[in-house]
Amino acid sequence: MTSERTVIPENLVLTSGSFLNLLNTLVNTFGSAGESMIYQMGHENGMVFCREVVSKINNEGESLEDIFEKVINSASQIGWANMVVEEFNPQNGKIKVVLQDNSFKQFCLRLNMPQCFFLRGYISGIIKELTNVDYQFSRSECYAHGDEHCSIRLVAED
Amino acid sequence: MSGVIISDFEVELLISLVEKGVEQLQPLITPEGIKYNDINEFETWQETIKTLNRLEETEFLTGEDFDRAIICPSCDSPHVYSKYACPIDRSIFIKKVILVRHEPDGYSGELEEFEQNGRLVCPKCGKDLGLAQDKETWDSDLREIGYSFECERNGHRFERPLVVHYCPICGSTFDYRTARYIPLKAYTLSQKTYDMVKNTADTEKLIKPIIDYLKQNKSQIQYEYEIKGVSGSTHQFDLAATIGSSLLLIDYSFGDSQELVALLGKKMDIPGAEAALIDFSDNEELLNLGKVYNIPIIDTGKENWVTTLQNVIETMKQVPVETKETPRRRLWERRR
């Protein structure tokens, strides 16, 4: 008897809804600590992702801003959101990324609160990997708050 | 309903009731609204009732039907007077007419006919029958045989007047058709409340040696401490102690390892802060987990709790790692 073997794809496909359910379980179980855990997951993931992208691209003579933009563009292709760097000022420790077509938008609206803890951590992880400076979340524009855009602003920790 | 969280304010309210020895809260209709014992913490009586209902839902109070209140439809005041009115023109200027009979001579008439200088005198036989305003003094031969109402405006006589309500707060007059008629409950403190208050008192008693020790080491103590983490999430801790610029974040645990995991999650979001868990359960598993997570478990039931806390304090007094020179790695430069 022969059986066909299922070919396991290299990439795991997970809808944003399923992903958010996983994250919400953490928040429901651990409260604000769950949000922190999600942020840390995003942070680690952002660092690993950044390392992979930088290892593959030719960054000869590129500025830090150009490299950050390339990593952010690569992250957009994964499907988190169409991320656009609006402010990049490591000297002042300020970074702002606008998230167009954010896959979490519907959930922010439905739950009436920001659902971007993973992405906050993800972006802070990318910048940490590039500069070795810790950035923390500063503030966001969020659909849940009635803003027209979704954006994440990070500032360098003191 | 166990596990339902009530606010700190509600906890304080319940504690104050127990401390005052209040066992049951009964409603009282006053010009200021519906009052329950000495509860004056709320701006409006509606807020008081809303809170008491919530405490009933969460089983900290047991509610039972106690009274009813007529509520003014214009201003929501329960301080309402009732008056009688003429069914023809709704005038409240009506009078009650009492009919009496003097049995020996059979004379019947309105009570007013018997009145002479504050006394009652039979118009037929002239016998004095007592004081007009004091029914107790009436002669036993004088009998009340009925009553009716008379409108002073239109002279109409009727047996049953309309009942109308008057609100002295806003001056509106209304009747049963527009009035709100609400049930008022009496609330009894449940066993759950007494248990909660006891646990709170016990907790304060249990943490006292730890607080005293921290204070001896020049710590500033803050209860119900709230702080925003690098993720933007706001975290709450049962206790925080500061020594200089160092921060120690403390949560209490009654043996649930989830508390420890949550404390670890919150600590990760507050870089540079120390964390410790005060355990009241004597749980060995927590002690082991605490070692894995690098979070000290302080259990005053254990002999070494002072050493554990002292180690935390020593760590807090050390120079922060950040001040040491750390070479910054720049990934984008690596491949140059």
Side-chain angles (χ1 to χ4, degrees), chain B residues 130-154:
Chain B
L131 287 165
Q133 299 302 324
D134 187 359
K135 210 172 177 180
E136 295 292 314
T137 64
W138 288 7
D139 191 292
S140 59
D141 287 339
L142 185 67
R143 287 189 55 197
E144 200 174 303
I145 56 173
Y147 61 87
S148 67
F149 291 86
E150 184 182 310
C151 179
E152 293 175 344
R153 294 271 167 87
N154 60 25

Side-chain angles (χ1 to χ4, degrees), chain A residues 29 32 35-36 57 120 137, chain B residues 230-231 233 235 258 265 335-336:
Chain A
T29 309
S32 68
E35 293 172 345
S36 164
I57 60 173
R120 293 176 192 181
F137 174 76
Chain B
V230 293
S231 69
S233 180
H235 306 293
Q258 201 167 297
R335 296 178 66 223
R336 284 185 177 179

Side-chain angles (χ1 to χ4, degrees), chain B residues 64-304:
Chain B
E64 61 182 286
D65 213 5
F66 187 81
D67 198 359
R68 293 288 184 275
I70 297 164
I71 306 294
C72 172
S74 299
C75 71
D76 229 20
S77 168
H79 185 53
V80 167
Y81 296 111
S82 292
K83 295 187 180 187
Y84 299 141
C86 171
I88 304 296
D89 63 4
R90 299 178 67 84
S91 166
I92 59 164
F93 298 102
I94 64 172
K95 65 177 181 181
K96 189 175 184 181
V97 179
I98 297 169
L99 301 173
V100 291
R101 180 164 63 215
H102 188 214
E103 294 288 357
D105 59 21
Y107 185 84
S108 300
E110 295 175 12
L111 188 67
E112 278 184 3
E113 292 176 43
F114 287 69
E115 283 185 36
Q116 281 183 25
N117 301 321
R119 297 197 68 84
L120 296 175
V121 178
C122 178
K124 189 173 180 182
C125 68
K127 186 181 178 187
D128 187 294
L129 300 171
L131 287 165
Q133 299 302 324
D134 187 359
K135 210 172 177 180
E136 295 292 314
T137 64
W138 288 7
D139 191 292
S140 59
D141 287 339
L142 185 67
R143 287 189 55 197
E144 200 174 303
I145 56 173
Y147 61 87
S148 67
F149 291 86
E150 184 182 310
C151 179
E152 293 175 344
R153 294 271 167 87
N154 60 25
H156 180 66
R157 283 209 167 192
F158 44 91
E159 270 190 28
R160 290 185 181 182
L162 289 178
V163 177
V164 294
H165 310 302
Y166 170 72
C167 173
I169 307 292
C170 70
S172 52
T173 302
F174 53 96
D175 63 14
Y176 65 93
R177 287 173 294 189
T178 52
R180 282 175 56 222
Y181 193 56
I182 63 165
L184 298 179
K185 289 180 185 175
Y187 300 89
T188 307
L189 275 66
S190 71
Q191 189 56 46
K192 187 176 174 179
T193 294
Y194 293 111
D195 291 344
M196 183 272 292
V197 173
K198 186 176 178 298
N199 283 339
T200 305
D202 286 350
T203 304
E204 283 175 11
K205 197 173 154 189
L206 286 167
I207 63 166
K208 192 175 180 302
I210 297 168
I211 299 291
D212 289 346
Y213 192 83
L214 285 167
K215 283 181 177 172
Q216 280 168 27
N217 282 275
K218 298 187 170 66
S219 286
Q220 299 285 321
I221 306 292
Q222 279 180 271
Y223 296 91
E224 308 289 333
Y225 185 72
E226 211 174 79
I227 186 170
K228 200 169 188 174
V230 293
S231 69
S233 180
T234 302
H235 306 293
Q236 284 187 325
F237 296 87
D238 292 323
L239 202 64
T242 47
I243 298 176
S245 60
S246 297
L247 178 65
L248 171 61
L249 303 163
I250 299 172
D251 272 343
Y252 308 146
S253 167
F254 290 89
D256 187 353
S257 58
Q258 201 167 297
E259 294 281 355
L260 182 63
V261 179
L263 181 57
L264 174 67
K266 291 190 285 186
K267 185 196 173 194
M268 288 193 305
D269 213 23
I270 322 287
E274 296 296 322
L277 190 77
I278 298 177
D279 178 39
F280 303 120
S281 68
D282 199 20
N283 186 341
E284 287 297 326
E285 188 192 337
L286 269 185
L287 277 174
N288 295 328
L289 269 178
K291 284 174 191 160
V292 175
Y293 295 156
N294 196 25
I295 292 180
I297 309 295
I298 299 165
D299 179 354
T300 52
K302 296 266 189 302
E303 280 182 10
N304 65 346

Side-chain angles (χ1 to χ4, degrees), chain A residues 29-30 32-33 35-37 39-40 50-51 54-64 67 117 120 129-133 136-138 157, chain B residues 228-236 257-259 261-269 271 322 326-336:
Chain A
T29 309
F30 297 109
S32 68
E35 293 172 345
S36 164
M37 291 171 192
Y39 180 89
Q40 294 299 332
C50 179
R51 213 172 297 148
V54 171
S55 69
K56 287 176 189 167
I57 60 173
N58 178 13
N59 58 16
E60 197 71 35
E62 300 256 24
S63 68
L64 179 59
I67 298 172
F117 286 95
R120 293 176 192 181
E129 186 62 26
L130 288 176
T131 63
N132 199 30
V133 174
Q136 66 180 40
F137 174 76
S138 165
E157 285 179 31
Chain B
K228 200 169 188 174
V230 293
S231 69
S233 180
T234 302
H235 306 293
Q236 284 187 325
S257 58
Q258 201 167 297
E259 294 281 355
V261 179
L263 181 57
L264 174 67
K266 291 190 285 186
K267 185 196 173 194
M268 288 193 305
D269 213 23
E322 282 81 2
T326 310
R328 286 189 171 176
R329 175 174 53 99
R330 288 186 171 83
L331 182 65
W332 91 100
E333 286 178 337
R334 269 200 223 157
R335 296 178 66 223
R336 284 185 177 179

Side-chain angles (χ1 to χ4, degrees), chain B residues 30-49:
Chain B
T30 75
E32 289 79 37
I34 294 158
K35 293 270 183 189
Y36 277 90
N37 297 45
D38 292 324
I39 297 179
N40 295 313
E41 284 85 349
F42 300 92
E43 279 188 19
T44 65
W45 62 268
Q46 290 91 337
E47 283 177 46
T48 307
I49 290 184

Side-chain angles (χ1 to χ4, degrees), chain A residues 45-57 59 62-78 80-81 83-85 88 97 122-123 125-130, chain B residues 331-332:
Chain A
N45 214 268
M47 287 179 76
V48 171
F49 179 78
C50 179
R51 213 172 297 148
E52 286 174 2
V53 172
V54 171
S55 69
K56 287 176 189 167
I57 60 173
N59 58 16
E62 300 256 24
S63 68
L64 179 59
E65 183 172 5
D66 289 339
I67 298 172
F68 180 67
E69 201 151 354
K70 278 184 179 174
V71 178
I72 286 290
N73 287 342
S74 299
S76 297
Q77 285 162 25
I78 298 175
W80 293 121
M83 298 192 235
V84 177
V85 181
F88 186 83
V97 178
Y122 199 84
I123 297 168
I126 291 172
I127 193 69
K128 165 78 176 175
E129 186 62 26
L130 288 176
Chain B
L331 182 65
W332 91 100

